[in-house]
Each structure stands twice: as structure tokens, then as C-alpha cells.
Amino acid sequence: MPKTEVILPDPETGKRYNAQSSCLKARFGRKAVKISLNGGFTCPNIDGTKGTGGCTYCSAKGSGDFGGDPRDSIAEQFRSGKAALEKKWGTDAVYIPYFQANTSTYAPLSRLKRLYGEALAQENVVGLAVSTRPDCISAKTADYLGELARQTYLTVELGLQTVHDETAARINRCHSYGDFLTGYELLRRRGVNVTVHIINGLPGESREMMLETVRRLSKLDIHGIKIHLLHMIRGTETARQYLNGEFAAMTMEEYVETVCDQLELLPKSVMIERLTGDGDRATLVAPLWSMDKKAVLNGIDKEMRRRGSVQGCRF
Ligand code: SF4
């Protein structure tokens, strides 16, 4: 499907960035929403293959706190997710199943084919999204994902978090920026859309380092980006370091300004899939202001308006 031209500010919503909701509506002609699924995957940074203990901020649920229950089949998870979404969006929406929890390409190809196939066979499904680590894309997996990308609207979400290897080591990512580029290339050479996850507020990172992450990504051919705020979740190493005074949390003002800078640096063709994180209220230690998501998003809109800027104006 050809890319539609992005006009900013969006004439319908007034948004000064290329928001996922508008993008998907333009592509499918109606509301398209993701349904989070849990394929019961593990993670090589937890099982000892790449590392142990996981990323220092990873929650007990493998950073997929809103995914389905892996004890249920994919069809069951999809049905209950759809029923919940219908209460909000009615019955006219179309769906993109989203394998969110843990590392959703970390399994034999036969299992991936079965799980993804089951998700794609559900009612009113128009695409598929798969979240994974960049070092968990083998050539064989990339070949299969390339095939899928020719059949449906497929997006593979790669967790990068930062381009700075010293930060990656500090948060125990157990992969480098070079590893990310290898995974990215394997997918892009096969025509697979790549969305990248980054995190603002990682320990030891200045605003300039966060902007550098986006500057480097803006030189690649990425389809979308998810910008997260570092959440300190109870029981994680990150929360322990924070409570121990080893680093400070970002203020809302700092976060809003940084995100606006990042939006200005990104090409306007890049779909903005997320501008803040969804911390689990019951376990979030800090920053507590992030629980008011609406205030964060309104703050970003307000700051972009104040600057008179739009996504891509400094690309
Ligand atoms: S790669 Fe993802 S699932 Fe694995 S430890 Fe890190 S955050 Fe958790």
C-alpha cells in the first residue's frame, strides 16, 4: 500500500505529529486498534542465553504488563481483548494482534508460524505486530517475516532503548547498537516495517544523549517509533538504584521538552506510536506524574503549539 502524504498539523485532530491513530485510519479507512497478546515467550536476557536478571527496568511480566494470559489460547486472548475494545470503539473497528510480552520471536520457527497464523486468522484482523529484541532475528526468521509482510500489514517492533552502548551496559540490555543495526537490516532488506522502542530518562543519560538516539534513528528507514519514559517499577534493579539515590527521575517538564525536541528531529513520515509509557499503577515507584497520561500528552501538544513546530521541522 503506498504511503499517504502526512500533513501537519493534522487537519482533523490538530496533532503536530504523525499519530498512529490517524495513520492507521488513513490506511484502513476506519479505526484500527491493537490487541495485546502473550505468546508465552521467554527472553534470552532472562534465561541465561544472552544474560541473566533481564534489563534492570524489566517488570516481572517481561515488560508486557498489558498482554493477555499465556495460559489461554491466542484465539481466546484475542476474543477477550476484542470484547473489551468493542465497549470503547464499538463494532466497526479492525484489529492488529500484537505479540507484546517478552521476546516474541524467541522460539522455533514452527511455533512462531503457529502463533502468528492463529492471530492472523481471527475476525476483522488487518495486520500483525510483533515486539522483540534486535538480536533475536535470525536470517530464517527474517525470511518468514518478509513473507508475512507481503501478505499483511506487519510491523516488527525492535527494542533499542538507546544508541549509547555504555547506557545499554548500565541497564544490562546485553546487546549493542551494532546488534540493533544487524537486526534492523535483516528486516528492512526483506521489506518488513520496523518500529523502534526508545526510553527517555535512562540512568546516566543527558538530554543530548536522548536526542542523539533519535538523530541516529532519523537517518534510518524506520516505520514507527515508541518513545517511553523510564518507569521505576517496584522490585526492579532500576527502582532500587533510584531509591538509593543513584540517579534522578525526569520531571514532567524535562520529559515534555525532550519529547518535543525528538519529534522535531524525526522525519514526518515516521509514525508516532507512543509518547509515554503505561506504568502499572500498583507497582510504579516513580515518576508518579506519569500516571496522568493525559496531562503528559496535553503538555506535549501545548509545547509544540507554543514553539510553532511540527514533527520533522528540524529533520
Ligand atoms: S529484553 Fe524485554 S523482556 Fe527481556 S529482560 Fe529486557 S525488557 Fe525484559
Side-chain angles (χ1 to χ4, degrees):
M1 202 178 290
K3 283 184 182 170
T4 40
E5 203 207 334
V6 181
I7 300 165
L8 297 174
D10 185 311
E12 254 183 60
T13 64
K15 291 281 179 200
R16 289 172 172 263
Y17 55 86
N18 185 16
Q20 173 175 248
S21 51
S22 305
C23 248
L24 294 182
K25 198 169 174 200
R27 180 179 283 264
F28 298 110
R30 59 217 264 213
K31 183 87 192 161
V33 271
K34 284 188 180 169
I35 295 185
S36 288
L37 303 173
N38 189 331
F41 299 101
T42 54
C43 173
N45 199 17
I46 295 176
D47 71 8
T49 305
K50 284 279 170 171
T52 49
C55 306
T56 54
Y57 54 82
C58 184
S59 71
K61 289 183 184 167
S63 288
D65 292 315
F66 301 96
D69 185 334
R71 289 167 301 186
D72 295 337
S73 72
I74 293 303
E76 282 163 344
Q77 290 182 46
F78 180 87
R79 275 196 295 273
S80 58
K82 182 168 171 272
L85 287 167
E86 278 177 352
K87 287 188 191 138
K88 193 170 177 193
W89 303 114
T91 52
D92 192 38
V94 288
Y95 299 99
I96 299 174
Y98 173 34
F99 286 91
Q100 181 180 15
N102 276 311
T103 301
S104 298
T105 57
Y106 187 48
L109 203 48
S110 54
R111 182 156 166 235
L112 299 184
K113 286 183 179 176
R114 181 172 56 75
L115 292 171
Y116 300 171
E118 191 175 347
L120 282 165
Q122 302 306 308
E123 202 187 347
N124 284 350
V125 163
V126 292
L128 181 72
V130 173
S131 173
T132 190
R133 286 170 60 92
D135 56 354
C136 283
I137 306 287
S138 66
K140 265 191 186 165
T141 307
D143 286 343
Y144 167 58
L145 293 169
E147 259 171 55
L148 270 189
R150 285 190 288 280
Q151 295 160 23
T152 192
Y153 173 62
L154 173 71
T155 307
V156 174
E157 303 189 5
L158 294 182
L160 168 65
Q161 323 313 358
T162 175
V163 298
H164 305 285
D165 286 346
E166 65 272 30
T167 311
R170 204 175 289 129
I171 59 173
N172 198 39
R173 272 300 289 178
C174 292
H175 71 71
S176 63
Y177 182 51
D179 294 332
F180 164 81
L181 289 174
T182 303
Y184 162 85
E185 285 292 343
L186 280 165
L187 294 168
R188 286 306 298 135
R189 265 189 252 125
R190 291 157 177 85
V192 179
N193 292 324
V194 173
T195 283
V196 185
H197 290 226
I198 63 167
I199 300 180
N200 286 334
L202 290 170
E205 288 222 338
S206 62
R207 185 189 298 190
E208 185 44 44
M209 290 171 83
M210 299 174 218
L211 298 189
E212 183 57 20
T213 289
V214 164
R215 265 188 216 107
R216 295 223 204 144
L217 291 177
S218 67
K219 294 191 180 104
L220 304 179
D221 181 23
I222 62 171
H223 182 66
I225 191 165
K226 287 190 172 176
I227 302 179
H228 298 264
L229 165 69
L230 180 67
H231 279 129
M232 279 51 115
I233 304 292
R234 193 181 309 130
T236 62
E237 176 62 11
T238 293
R240 190 199 64 74
Q241 290 169 351
Y242 168 74
L243 292 170
N244 212 21
E246 293 175 32
F247 73 100
M250 289 181 95
T251 65
M252 182 160 142
E253 194 182 33
E254 284 167 344
Y255 185 74
V256 164
E257 286 177 4
T258 304
V259 169
C260 292
D261 288 346
Q262 290 172 324
L263 289 172
E264 290 175 359
L265 292 168
L266 283 165
K268 70 176 181 174
S269 58
V270 173
M271 177 164 77
I272 307 300
E273 300 196 28
R274 185 174 276 281
L275 286 180
T276 180
D278 271 325
D280 179 355
R281 281 165 190 267
T283 53
L284 183 67
V285 173
L288 294 177
W289 55 260
S290 68
M291 288 198 292
D292 190 349
K293 239 175 106 173
K294 205 169 166 193
V296 180
L297 295 174
N298 286 343
I300 292 166
D301 288 342
K302 196 170 158 201
E303 176 62 10
M304 294 292 275
R305 268 199 312 276
R306 187 193 69 75
R307 297 181 184 192
S309 68
V310 292
Q311 179 181 337
C313 67
R314 285 198 286 147
F315 167 58

